[in-house]
């Protein structure tokens, strides 16, 4: 690993200033992802700005608008939070489905949302690719069984976070802090497809970092279902987040978002349309087909199409209380 300087800012403003002014500075939460990349030689930031030293950034609190979750709150605390489990059950489930207990004890919400992709070619210093500033995508003619079947090209990564799809489904807002103050945006707008920005999966201006995520409670029923190769711990091969307002077996308002199948959390409005016009207990099969429509598998990942159908159907049945 290359040498780097470590900074412990005392306030959010200090952190933003350090991130902007120190050349090659990078924010660090729990370090689960970033230190791995540094050890693999994929990234070599000269300065690490430790967000966990900023007091209060780990707060999880109920507000007039819903729940505000600070960026350095750890995943284990979200998974075990009784208030979140009651008001936002899909979010608590998603936090509990991340990785292992050790990683959930170390990983932060901000780090989970801004973690980098897990494509083998991106993660290996032995391969160049467009995402690392090189050219082309070795996965197109190579190992692509875990990669995208929606929204891919010219890079085919899948979005790795389990929190992001459910937060998009719940219509959460991200609060970003920067050297010129703060701004907030719908979390769906934070993420960008590789066709728009191949070098990074999200939009942060110089010096900006995630300060908090605010989650409304307007969609009181929510679920996260995840299929993975190894059930003890693994990233999603396909995941389905649904958040809904359900009245007498009918969805009045619903958002369905897939994880693990596209470079960003992938909203499937076709499935939502089916859910809005059918009785919830009858909708699983048709909505699942609608969710998988338009998939464009690569040479090795057509198995993700039936996985999507299965995971969406399971999520709908869970939402219906079956
Ligand atoms: C074996 C293994 C299995 C895993 N399985 C899963 C899984 O099933 N589901 C899943 O969702 N994840 C999984 N992960 C990923 C893991 O959850 C993330 O690595 C972890 O959540 C990152 O959090 P962190 O605080 O350690 O981030 P860090 O490593 O500190 O940071 C990650 C990235 O985010 C940036 N960053 C950190 N905080 C902020 C912030 N507040 N604002 C802006 N940028 C920020 C950093 O600069 C860095 O680029 C797995 C990881 C491993 C190693």
């Amino acid at each position: 690993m290359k040498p780097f300087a470590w900074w412990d800012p005392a306030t959010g403003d200090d952190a933003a200033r350090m991130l902007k002014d120190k050349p090659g500075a990078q924010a660090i939460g729990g370090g689960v992802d970033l230190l791995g990349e540094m050890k693999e030689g994929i990234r070599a930031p000269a300065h690490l700005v430790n967000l966990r030293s900023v007091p209060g950034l780990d707060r999880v609190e109920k507000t007039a608008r819903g729940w505000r979750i600070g960026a350095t709150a750890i995943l284990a605390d979200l998974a075990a939070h009784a208030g979140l489990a009651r008001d936002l059950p899909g979010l608590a489930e998603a936090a509990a489905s991340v990785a292992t207990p050790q990683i959930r004890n170390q990983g932060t919400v901000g780090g989970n949302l801004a973690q980098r992709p897990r494509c083998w070619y991106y993660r290996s210093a032995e391969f160049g690719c467009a995402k690392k500033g090189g050219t082309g995508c070795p996965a197109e003619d190579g190992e692509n069984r875990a990669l995208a079947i929606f929204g891919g090209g010219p890079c085919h990564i899948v979005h790795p976070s389990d929190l992001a799809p459910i937060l998009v489904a719940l219509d959460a807002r991200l609060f970003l802090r920067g050297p010129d103050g703060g701004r907030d945006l719908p979390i769906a707008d934070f993420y960008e497809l590789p066709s728009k920005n191949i070098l990074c999966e999200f939009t942060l201006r110089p010096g900006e970092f995630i300060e908090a995520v605010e989650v409304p409670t307007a969609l009181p029923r929510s679920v996260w279902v995840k299929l993975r190769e190894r059930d003890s711990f693994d990233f999603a091969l396909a995941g389905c987040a649904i958040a809904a307002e359900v009245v007498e077996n009918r969805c009045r308002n619903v958002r369905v978002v897939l994880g693990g199948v596209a470079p960003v959390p992938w909203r499937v409005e076709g499935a939502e349309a089916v859910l809005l016009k059918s009785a919830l207990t009858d909708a699983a099969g048709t909505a699942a087909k609608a969710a998988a429509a338009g998939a464009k598998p690569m040479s090795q990942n057509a198995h993700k199409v039936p996985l999507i159908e299965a995971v969406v159907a399971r999520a709908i049945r869970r939402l219906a209380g079956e």
Side-chain angles (χ1 to χ4, degrees), residues 149 227 238 288-289 292 297 301-313:
I149 60 170
L227 298 178
K289 288 270 178 226
N301 64 5
H303 59 277
K304 286 201 171 194
V305 173
L307 283 183
I308 289 175
E309 291 176 2
V311 82
V312 172

Side-chain angles (χ1 to χ4, degrees), residues 75-76 78-80 89-101 103-104 112 115 160-166 223-228 230-241 318:
L75 300 167
L78 259 57
L91 179 60
E93 266 180 294
S97 80
V98 172
T100 62
I103 289 171
R104 294 195 292 275
N112 185 270
Q115 63 176 295
S161 161
D162 288 330
L163 294 190
I166 188 71
V223 292
W224 165 245
V225 181
K226 171 178 172 183
L227 298 178
R228 45 193 155 181
R230 170 180 47 186
D231 246 353
S232 54
F233 74 96
D234 219 334
F235 290 90
L237 279 174
C240 178
R318 287 259 320 279

Side-chain angles (χ1 to χ4, degrees), residues 26-34 43 51 71 75 97-99 103 106-108 110-112 114-115 118 160-162 204 209-210 226 233-235:
Q26 194 72 41
I28 185 163
V32 176
D33 190 42
L34 182 55
R43 285 206 281 175
L51 297 179
L75 300 167
S97 80
V98 172
I103 289 171
Q106 182 69 20
T108 63
N112 185 270
Q115 63 176 295
R118 287 277 156 181
S161 161
D162 288 330
L204 283 175
F209 63 92
I210 301 168
K226 171 178 172 183
F233 74 96
D234 219 334
F235 290 90

Side-chain angles (χ1 to χ4, degrees), residues 4-287:
F4 57 87
W6 180 271
W7 300 94
D8 284 324
T11 66
D13 288 342
D14 283 351
R17 225 171 296 121
M18 288 172 179
L19 284 168
K20 182 150 184 239
D21 294 345
K22 300 199 179 295
Q26 194 72 41
I28 185 163
V32 176
D33 190 42
L34 182 55
L35 295 178
E37 285 196 301
M38 291 167 68
K39 287 182 199 162
E40 294 295 332
I42 301 166
R43 285 206 281 175
H47 299 271
L48 293 185
V49 178
N50 174 25
L51 297 179
R52 294 183 82 175
S53 73
V54 177
L57 214 58
D58 60 350
R59 215 171 281 141
V60 177
E61 59 194 354
K62 189 143 193 191
T63 69
R65 291 193 295 265
W67 284 88
R68 187 177 168 95
I69 300 167
T72 60
I74 60 167
L75 300 167
D77 286 350
L78 259 57
H81 198 292
L84 292 183
R86 183 191 61 235
D87 290 352
L88 304 166
L91 179 60
E93 266 180 294
S97 80
V98 172
T100 62
Q102 292 88 338
I103 289 171
R104 294 195 292 275
N105 273 321
Q106 182 69 20
T108 63
V109 170
N112 185 270
L113 295 176
Q115 63 176 295
R116 303 306 308 278
R118 287 277 156 181
C119 169
W120 298 304
Y121 296 105
Y122 168 73
R123 290 275 163 171
S124 167
E126 287 168 28
F127 289 90
C129 73
K131 177 158 279 306
K132 288 185 286 194
T135 52
C137 170
E140 285 181 352
D141 298 316
E143 284 292 333
N144 55 44
R145 65 196 154 89
L147 297 184
I149 60 170
F150 292 108
C155 159
H156 302 270
I157 54 156
V158 289
H159 180 78
S161 161
D162 288 330
L163 294 190
I166 188 71
L167 288 172
V168 173
L170 288 161
D171 204 14
R173 290 189 81 79
L174 268 194
F175 284 72
L176 306 178
R177 172 79 74 97
D180 304 320
R183 64 182 173 117
D184 62 295
L185 74 172
I187 187 169
D189 296 349
F190 180 62
Y191 294 110
E192 290 186 332
L193 285 170
S195 53
K196 187 158 179 215
N197 180 3
I198 195 150
L199 294 175
C200 191
E201 304 76 48
F202 43 83
T203 46
L204 283 175
R205 297 174 188 155
E208 268 187 342
F209 63 92
I210 301 168
E211 184 175 43
V213 53
E214 210 169 77
V215 198
T217 49
L219 299 174
R221 255 200 237 183
S222 58
V223 292
W224 165 245
V225 181
K226 171 178 172 183
L227 298 178
R228 45 193 155 181
E229 208 162 274
R230 170 180 47 186
D231 246 353
S232 54
F233 74 96
D234 219 334
F235 290 90
L237 279 174
C240 178
I242 309 184
E245 186 192 355
V246 180
V247 180
E248 291 173 2
N249 198 28
R250 295 225 161 234
C251 289
R252 274 212 192 138
N253 190 358
V254 63
R255 291 161 69 103
V256 184
V257 182
L258 304 177
V261 295
V264 297
W266 194 254
R267 191 165 168 196
V268 278
E269 290 176 1
E272 294 172 8
V274 173
L275 288 171
L276 285 172
K277 64 175 192 247
S278 325
L280 189 53
T281 40
D282 299 336
T286 322

